Amino acid sequence: AVVSTQSTGDHCDKCPAGSFSALPGSAECTACSAGSYASFIGNTKCTLCPAGKFSASEGAEKCVPCGAGTAAELDGSTNCTVCSSGSFSYGEGNLKCEQCSKGSFSGSEGMDHCDKCPAGSFSAL
């Protein structure tokens, strides 16, 4: 997407945060694509969101950390993956979901912890 600003022709305007202009002589700025960001004005490129963070839409000025129960393993993520049952992620900015340890479980998707198996039951994983 193109980002335009009002310009009078007597000077060059810097591209706003969330956009860039890579080449000299540009007449417009381009919005950063989803999965990338540009925090400052005057950017010549956008930066991929680091693993554990994402940007869902174009024109992002920053990336958002993945919440508990989710993770983003790769740079440039446009969303976070929900942890499957049997796994969890605690806190924010997780790169991956962890498997529950032996003797514990998570029976639902998107969990931020595993519960201990109650007396009379077990989990060998």
Side-chain angles (χ1 to χ4, degrees):
V2 173
V3 177
S4 62
T5 58
Q6 291 287 46
S7 182
T8 59
D10 61 352
H11 66 281
C12 295
D13 293 317
K14 291 187 176 186
C15 292
S19 67
F20 73 102
S21 171
L23 301 171
S26 293
E28 58 199 17
C29 300
T30 304
C32 295
S33 60
S36 67
Y37 71 102
S39 296
F40 305 105
I41 61 171
N43 297 290
T44 58
K45 65 178 182 173
C46 296
T47 304
L48 291 178
C49 292
K53 296 184 176 186
F54 75 102
S55 69
S57 57
E58 59 183 34
E61 296 179 20
K62 63 181 181 176
C63 299
V64 179
C66 293
T70 66
E73 204 168 323
L74 303 174
D75 292 346
S77 293
T78 58
N79 62 6
C80 298
T81 303
V82 175
C83 296
S84 60
S85 59
S87 67
F88 73 101
S89 68
Y90 177 78
E92 292 187 338
N94 296 293
L95 308 184
K96 62 180 184 173
C97 298
E98 303 289 334
Q99 288 299 121
C100 293
S101 60
K102 291 180 180 181
S104 66
F105 73 103
S106 70
S108 302
E109 294 182 339
M111 297 298 292
D112 65 354
H113 68 282
C114 296
D115 293 316
K116 289 183 179 180
C117 292
S121 65
F122 75 100
S123 172
L125 288 177

